[in-house]
Amino acid sequence: MLPHKVIGSKLHAAVRAVLPDADLAPVLVRPCPDPRFGDYQTAGLMGLAKQRKLNPRQVATDVRAHLELSELCEKIEIAGAGFLNFHLRPEAVARAVTEALTDDRLFLEPAVPPRTIVVDFSSPNVAKPMHVGHIRSTILGDCLARALRRLGHRVITDNHLGDWGTQFGMLLVGWKRELNRVALQTDPIAEMERLYQKTSAACKTDAAILEAARQELVKLQAGDAENLALWREMIALSQGQFDTIYGRLGVTFDHTLGESFYNPQLPGLVAELAAKGIARESDGAQAIFFDDIPSLKTTPALVRKSDGGFNYTTTDLATLAYRMATWQPDEVIYVTDGRQQLHFQQLFAAFRKWQPGHLGLKLAHVWFGSILGEDGKPFKTRSGETIKLADLLDEAEERALRVVTEKNPDLAEAARREIARVVGIGAVKYADLLPNRQSDYVFSWDKMLSLSGNTAPYLQYAYARIRSIFRKAAESAGGPPRPVPLQLRTAEETTLAKHLLNFGIVLEAVAEEYRPNYLCNYLYELAGHFTRFYEHCPVLKAAAAERASRLALCDAAGRVLRQGLEVLGIEVLEQM
RNA sequence: GCGCCCGUAGCUCAGUUGGAUAGAGCAUCUGCCUUCUAAGCAGAGGGUCCCGCGUUCGAAUCGCGGCGGGCGUACCA
């Protein structure tokens, strides 16, 4: 068991002995904010003392008297207003690292019990290019799914494509009147986008075109064979684009059930809501009112428009019901931008009214801020167009290739291109995951690709240096490294080893709060601790026992770096 | 009008149940490559955490009131 887990369980037992009726939930063991205080601390005893009007330092003293941790800790201090600070024995740290290397758990303990979690993210629109607006949902959602999986949960990812809606009326008009077959073969998305934009513009000035679009839409919705076939072709062409982009990003989905999948259920769903008195007629539409929820009182949700069409609340309700019936999840996570907060409040409230039985179900809207240009306005190209994701990834790789070529001109071109791919894509992802997700962030090519500071390449570089040591170790007379008990002789080794112990704590926090930036910062610190160790502690030139110990430490650091980056969806390289 | 979010170093941003002397990157300045990859390391300077009041042993964090900005607010998603 990991040291902080042992400390936690013994601490709880000690608190129970001192204050039998105390709530143990706030008595948490956390890494100390400053190593001078110790390795782990709890601030929770002060809260307990406060509730009971006891002297907090006295409570800490009493609790400490019930703690038997001499194997793990060299001392347990009472500090400040009533902190309990735990100082690990170096042997205990060394033992924990060695143990972590002998199995695959690697400083993690699997979640008990594992939960079933649906993650809904990315959700691009058919017949349109994926653009920067999709990047955060895609990268963040993929990362959260990876983190939850790594912790042992059963994760189901579902890409809720925008494959239905009024835009298809215009697309069908454009397709039938002006389709350029050659252009469609060369770049289907660009051609469909052109058709849409041209027809959309024409609709604004020409009532006949607008009417034509309306009629094509009605035909499609009525199941007209020709329009359905064209619509399916548009989806297939779009899916090709999605596959290409997801392939480049290393993002996968278990299911791709777009909005259209739920169409057949919508009329019955609205009828049921109306029959149960959950929805009622209002200005010709069917609306759900939330009179019992103060924050939603003035904002009803429409489930059917006055023209008979359905809204995304309707589709999302059907989608959620399907997910509950199909997978019985404990939790459903939606990763979208913050502007949809009201929608998800309404959706969750409406679903609880409609299907009140799912008591343990957790519904989470994991929202994120906007990507801004350097002028502080929504991120666009100079000419004011949205930036296509494919172009963005191309440019990232091109810029990375220039840097690789400059740093490492002797490598073969194929090798440089592969490094540039991993570095470029990694840089884009890391730039998106590093800021607090709720902040708007300013997109900067230079910063993202500067390849210095707190960036993906810094982490990848640290990993490549570790791998380089192992290549050299295999060549040298010492032979291949074997796991050995660690000897932590220097401050750099001890700091690095202690940092490794906290990988699981950080991953749990990422999953708990849906914040990958915690992991980014942890890995950045890890890379820093490793690099300082690397600068100060020779590995291959050390004497036999120390060499073996340091190799084992490198191995542990490398594995945590690789697995941590894997959770972020970022690849590593053997050589940079 | 109402609701949500934001305001922290010159710039861009972190800041885990309220917790100890508020951190990082960039930029600026000073050192370090005959030694496992210098895409690196060591060090320096830089703060009215928007303002005020309050709660608390303790507030960047919680409450109230301002100021400034972003977004949302019934038939788009």
PDB file of all heavy atoms in Angstrom, chain A residues 542-564:
ATOM      1  N   ALA A 542      28.244   6.188 -12.159  1.00  0.00           N
ATOM      2  CA  ALA A 542      28.265   5.927 -10.722  1.00  0.00           C
ATOM      3  C   ALA A 542      28.760   4.502 -10.457  1.00  0.00           C
ATOM      4  O   ALA A 542      28.725   3.647 -11.344  1.00  0.00           O
ATOM      5  CB  ALA A 542      26.868   6.107 -10.143  1.00  0.00           C
ATOM      6  N   ALA A 543      29.197   4.276  -9.227  1.00  0.00           N
ATOM      7  CA  ALA A 543      29.638   2.929  -8.838  1.00  0.00           C
ATOM      8  C   ALA A 543      28.461   1.964  -8.877  1.00  0.00           C
ATOM      9  O   ALA A 543      27.304   2.385  -8.824  1.00  0.00           O
ATOM     10  CB  ALA A 543      30.235   2.969  -7.426  1.00  0.00           C
ATOM     11  N   ALA A 544      28.779   0.678  -8.952  1.00  0.00           N
ATOM     12  CA  ALA A 544      27.779  -0.340  -9.302  1.00  0.00           C
ATOM     13  C   ALA A 544      26.456  -0.228  -8.554  1.00  0.00           C
ATOM     14  O   ALA A 544      25.392  -0.156  -9.171  1.00  0.00           O
ATOM     15  CB  ALA A 544      28.380  -1.731  -9.093  1.00  0.00           C
ATOM     16  N   ALA A 545      26.503  -0.200  -7.221  1.00  0.00           N
ATOM     17  CA  ALA A 545      25.255  -0.215  -6.456  1.00  0.00           C
ATOM     18  C   ALA A 545      24.457   1.062  -6.698  1.00  0.00           C
ATOM     19  O   ALA A 545      23.247   1.030  -6.902  1.00  0.00           O
ATOM     20  CB  ALA A 545      25.551  -0.374  -4.963  1.00  0.00           C
ATOM     21  N   GLU A 546      25.163   2.181  -6.683  1.00  0.00           N
ATOM     22  CA  GLU A 546      24.501   3.468  -6.899  1.00  0.00           C
ATOM     23  C   GLU A 546      23.961   3.562  -8.329  1.00  0.00           C
ATOM     24  O   GLU A 546      22.871   4.089  -8.565  1.00  0.00           O
ATOM     25  CB  GLU A 546      25.501   4.590  -6.635  1.00  0.00           C
ATOM     26  CG  GLU A 546      24.857   5.956  -6.564  1.00  0.00           C
ATOM     27  CD  GLU A 546      25.780   6.974  -5.919  1.00  0.00           C
ATOM     28  OE1 GLU A 546      26.885   7.169  -6.473  1.00  0.00           O
ATOM     29  OE2 GLU A 546      25.408   7.544  -4.881  1.00  0.00           O
ATOM     30  N   ARG A 547      24.710   3.039  -9.264  1.00  0.00           N
ATOM     31  CA  ARG A 547      24.285   3.030 -10.672  1.00  0.00           C
ATOM     32  C   ARG A 547      22.979   2.269 -10.819  1.00  0.00           C
ATOM     33  O   ARG A 547      22.026   2.744 -11.452  1.00  0.00           O
ATOM     34  CB  ARG A 547      25.386   2.358 -11.498  1.00  0.00           C
ATOM     35  CG  ARG A 547      25.134   2.263 -12.978  1.00  0.00           C
ATOM     36  CD  ARG A 547      26.330   1.546 -13.624  1.00  0.00           C
ATOM     37  NE  ARG A 547      26.324   1.623 -15.070  1.00  0.00           N
ATOM     38  CZ  ARG A 547      25.728   0.751 -15.863  1.00  0.00           C
ATOM     39  NH1 ARG A 547      25.050  -0.258 -15.347  1.00  0.00           N
ATOM     40  NH2 ARG A 547      25.808   0.883 -17.173  1.00  0.00           N
ATOM     41  N   ALA A 548      22.912   1.122 -10.198  1.00  0.00           N
ATOM     42  CA  ALA A 548      21.698   0.307 -10.293  1.00  0.00           C
ATOM     43  C   ALA A 548      20.520   1.032  -9.651  1.00  0.00           C
ATOM     44  O   ALA A 548      19.397   1.043 -10.184  1.00  0.00           O
ATOM     45  CB  ALA A 548      21.921  -1.044  -9.624  1.00  0.00           C
ATOM     46  N   SER A 549      20.768   1.639  -8.522  1.00  0.00           N
ATOM     47  CA  SER A 549      19.703   2.367  -7.832  1.00  0.00           C
ATOM     48  C   SER A 549      19.200   3.525  -8.685  1.00  0.00           C
ATOM     49  O   SER A 549      17.992   3.740  -8.829  1.00  0.00           O
ATOM     50  CB  SER A 549      20.233   2.877  -6.494  1.00  0.00           C
ATOM     51  OG  SER A 549      19.322   3.791  -5.931  1.00  0.00           O
ATOM     52  N   ARG A 550      20.138   4.267  -9.251  1.00  0.00           N
ATOM     53  CA  ARG A 550      19.735   5.424 -10.060  1.00  0.00           C
ATOM     54  C   ARG A 550      19.034   4.993 -11.345  1.00  0.00           C
ATOM     55  O   ARG A 550      18.112   5.664 -11.813  1.00  0.00           O
ATOM     56  CB  ARG A 550      20.952   6.301 -10.353  1.00  0.00           C
ATOM     57  CG  ARG A 550      21.382   7.062  -9.108  1.00  0.00           C
ATOM     58  CD  ARG A 550      22.582   7.947  -9.297  1.00  0.00           C
ATOM     59  NE  ARG A 550      22.810   8.702  -8.062  1.00  0.00           N
ATOM     60  CZ  ARG A 550      23.880   9.462  -7.829  1.00  0.00           C
ATOM     61  NH1 ARG A 550      24.832   9.559  -8.750  1.00  0.00           N
ATOM     62  NH2 ARG A 550      23.986  10.117  -6.690  1.00  0.00           N
ATOM     63  N   LEU A 551      19.465   3.889 -11.900  1.00  0.00           N
ATOM     64  CA  LEU A 551      18.759   3.376 -13.088  1.00  0.00           C
ATOM     65  C   LEU A 551      17.316   3.021 -12.738  1.00  0.00           C
ATOM     66  O   LEU A 551      16.396   3.290 -13.512  1.00  0.00           O
ATOM     67  CB  LEU A 551      19.488   2.148 -13.644  1.00  0.00           C
ATOM     68  CG  LEU A 551      20.645   2.450 -14.598  1.00  0.00           C
ATOM     69  CD1 LEU A 551      21.436   1.173 -14.884  1.00  0.00           C
ATOM     70  CD2 LEU A 551      20.149   3.062 -15.908  1.00  0.00           C
ATOM     71  N   ALA A 552      17.147   2.437 -11.561  1.00  0.00           N
ATOM     72  CA  ALA A 552      15.787   2.081 -11.149  1.00  0.00           C
ATOM     73  C   ALA A 552      14.940   3.334 -10.975  1.00  0.00           C
ATOM     74  O   ALA A 552      13.766   3.364 -11.357  1.00  0.00           O
ATOM     75  CB  ALA A 552      15.822   1.279  -9.846  1.00  0.00           C
ATOM     76  N   LEU A 553      15.552   4.376 -10.424  1.00  0.00           N
ATOM     77  CA  LEU A 553      14.822   5.635 -10.244  1.00  0.00           C
ATOM     78  C   LEU A 553      14.459   6.245 -11.601  1.00  0.00           C
ATOM     79  O   LEU A 553      13.348   6.742 -11.794  1.00  0.00           O
ATOM     80  CB  LEU A 553      15.680   6.595  -9.415  1.00  0.00           C
ATOM     81  CG  LEU A 553      15.018   7.882  -8.933  1.00  0.00           C
ATOM     82  CD1 LEU A 553      13.759   7.609  -8.138  1.00  0.00           C
ATOM     83  CD2 LEU A 553      16.015   8.687  -8.080  1.00  0.00           C
ATOM     84  N   CYS A 554      15.389   6.194 -12.545  1.00  0.00           N
ATOM     85  CA  CYS A 554      15.110   6.670 -13.906  1.00  0.00           C
ATOM     86  C   CYS A 554      13.963   5.884 -14.513  1.00  0.00           C
ATOM     87  O   CYS A 554      13.093   6.435 -15.199  1.00  0.00           O
ATOM     88  CB  CYS A 554      16.338   6.498 -14.808  1.00  0.00           C
ATOM     89  SG  CYS A 554      17.662   7.639 -14.460  1.00  0.00           S
ATOM     90  N   ASP A 555      13.974   4.589 -14.291  1.00  0.00           N
ATOM     91  CA  ASP A 555      12.935   3.725 -14.829  1.00  0.00           C
ATOM     92  C   ASP A 555      11.570   4.138 -14.287  1.00  0.00           C
ATOM     93  O   ASP A 555      10.603   4.307 -15.031  1.00  0.00           O
ATOM     94  CB  ASP A 555      13.251   2.271 -14.458  1.00  0.00           C
ATOM     95  CG  ASP A 555      12.300   1.287 -15.115  1.00  0.00           C
ATOM     96  OD1 ASP A 555      11.687   1.648 -16.141  1.00  0.00           O
ATOM     97  OD2 ASP A 555      12.164   0.165 -14.595  1.00  0.00           O
ATOM     98  N   ALA A 556      11.512   4.359 -12.970  1.00  0.00           N
ATOM     99  CA  ALA A 556      10.240   4.740 -12.341  1.00  0.00           C
ATOM    100  C   ALA A 556       9.772   6.098 -12.874  1.00  0.00           C
ATOM    101  O   ALA A 556       8.598   6.278 -13.219  1.00  0.00           O
ATOM    102  CB  ALA A 556      10.396   4.787 -10.824  1.00  0.00           C
ATOM    103  N   ALA A 557      10.711   7.048 -12.957  1.00  0.00           N
ATOM    104  CA  ALA A 557      10.343   8.382 -13.450  1.00  0.00           C
ATOM    105  C   ALA A 557       9.862   8.300 -14.897  1.00  0.00           C
ATOM    106  O   ALA A 557       8.880   8.928 -15.279  1.00  0.00           O
ATOM    107  CB  ALA A 557      11.541   9.324 -13.335  1.00  0.00           C
ATOM    108  N   GLY A 558      10.551   7.506 -15.702  1.00  0.00           N
ATOM    109  CA  GLY A 558      10.180   7.360 -17.105  1.00  0.00           C
ATOM    110  C   GLY A 558       8.805   6.740 -17.258  1.00  0.00           C
ATOM    111  O   GLY A 558       7.999   7.177 -18.081  1.00  0.00           O
ATOM    112  N   ARG A 559       8.518   5.745 -16.441  1.00  0.00           N
ATOM    113  CA  ARG A 559       7.203   5.106 -16.554  1.00  0.00           C
ATOM    114  C   ARG A 559       6.087   6.057 -16.155  1.00  0.00           C
ATOM    115  O   ARG A 559       5.034   6.082 -16.798  1.00  0.00           O
ATOM    116  CB  ARG A 559       7.154   3.874 -15.644  1.00  0.00           C
ATOM    117  CG  ARG A 559       7.943   2.716 -16.192  1.00  0.00           C
ATOM    118  CD  ARG A 559       7.425   1.437 -15.578  1.00  0.00           C
ATOM    119  NE  ARG A 559       8.532   0.557 -15.218  1.00  0.00           N
ATOM    120  CZ  ARG A 559       8.351  -0.618 -14.614  1.00  0.00           C
ATOM    121  NH1 ARG A 559       7.135  -1.003 -14.265  1.00  0.00           N
ATOM    122  NH2 ARG A 559       9.378  -1.387 -14.341  1.00  0.00           N
ATOM    123  N   VAL A 560       6.311   6.809 -15.090  1.00  0.00           N
ATOM    124  CA  VAL A 560       5.257   7.742 -14.670  1.00  0.00           C
ATOM    125  C   VAL A 560       5.071   8.831 -15.725  1.00  0.00           C
ATOM    126  O   VAL A 560       3.943   9.203 -16.072  1.00  0.00           O
ATOM    127  CB  VAL A 560       5.574   8.353 -13.285  1.00  0.00           C
ATOM    128  CG1 VAL A 560       4.584   9.468 -12.950  1.00  0.00           C
ATOM    129  CG2 VAL A 560       5.530   7.277 -12.216  1.00  0.00           C
ATOM    130  N   LEU A 561       6.183   9.330 -16.266  1.00  0.00           N
ATOM    131  CA  LEU A 561       6.079  10.337 -17.327  1.00  0.00           C
ATOM    132  C   LEU A 561       5.308   9.796 -18.526  1.00  0.00           C
ATOM    133  O   LEU A 561       4.417  10.453 -19.058  1.00  0.00           O
ATOM    134  CB  LEU A 561       7.482  10.733 -17.796  1.00  0.00           C
ATOM    135  CG  LEU A 561       8.045  12.073 -17.349  1.00  0.00           C
ATOM    136  CD1 LEU A 561       9.437  12.257 -17.949  1.00  0.00           C
ATOM    137  CD2 LEU A 561       7.146  13.234 -17.746  1.00  0.00           C
ATOM    138  N   ARG A 562       5.654   8.603 -18.941  1.00  0.00           N
ATOM    139  CA  ARG A 562       5.014   8.034 -20.122  1.00  0.00           C
ATOM    140  C   ARG A 562       3.533   7.797 -19.872  1.00  0.00           C
ATOM    141  O   ARG A 562       2.681   8.156 -20.688  1.00  0.00           O
ATOM    142  CB  ARG A 562       5.691   6.715 -20.521  1.00  0.00           C
ATOM    143  CG  ARG A 562       5.098   6.095 -21.784  1.00  0.00           C
ATOM    144  CD  ARG A 562       5.945   4.944 -22.322  1.00  0.00           C
ATOM    145  NE  ARG A 562       6.235   3.933 -21.314  1.00  0.00           N
ATOM    146  CZ  ARG A 562       5.352   3.030 -20.880  1.00  0.00           C
ATOM    147  NH1 ARG A 562       4.132   3.010 -21.374  1.00  0.00           N
ATOM    148  NH2 ARG A 562       5.699   2.153 -19.962  1.00  0.00           N
ATOM    149  N   GLN A 563       3.225   7.223 -18.713  1.00  0.00           N
ATOM    150  CA  GLN A 563       1.815   6.938 -18.442  1.00  0.00           C
ATOM    151  C   GLN A 563       1.019   8.212 -18.194  1.00  0.00           C
ATOM    152  O   GLN A 563      -0.146   8.311 -18.559  1.00  0.00           O
ATOM    153  CB  GLN A 563       1.687   5.999 -17.244  1.00  0.00           C
ATOM    154  CG  GLN A 563       2.240   4.638 -17.577  1.00  0.00           C
ATOM    155  CD  GLN A 563       1.600   3.531 -16.755  1.00  0.00           C
ATOM    156  OE1 GLN A 563       0.553   3.737 -16.146  1.00  0.00           O
ATOM    157  NE2 GLN A 563       2.239   2.382 -16.743  1.00  0.00           N
ATOM    158  N   GLY A 564       1.664   9.198 -17.558  1.00  0.00           N
ATOM    159  CA  GLY A 564       0.988  10.468 -17.347  1.00  0.00           C
ATOM    160  C   GLY A 564       0.691  11.148 -18.672  1.00  0.00           C
ATOM    161  O   GLY A 564      -0.425  11.638 -18.901  1.00  0.00           O
TER     162      GLY A 564
END
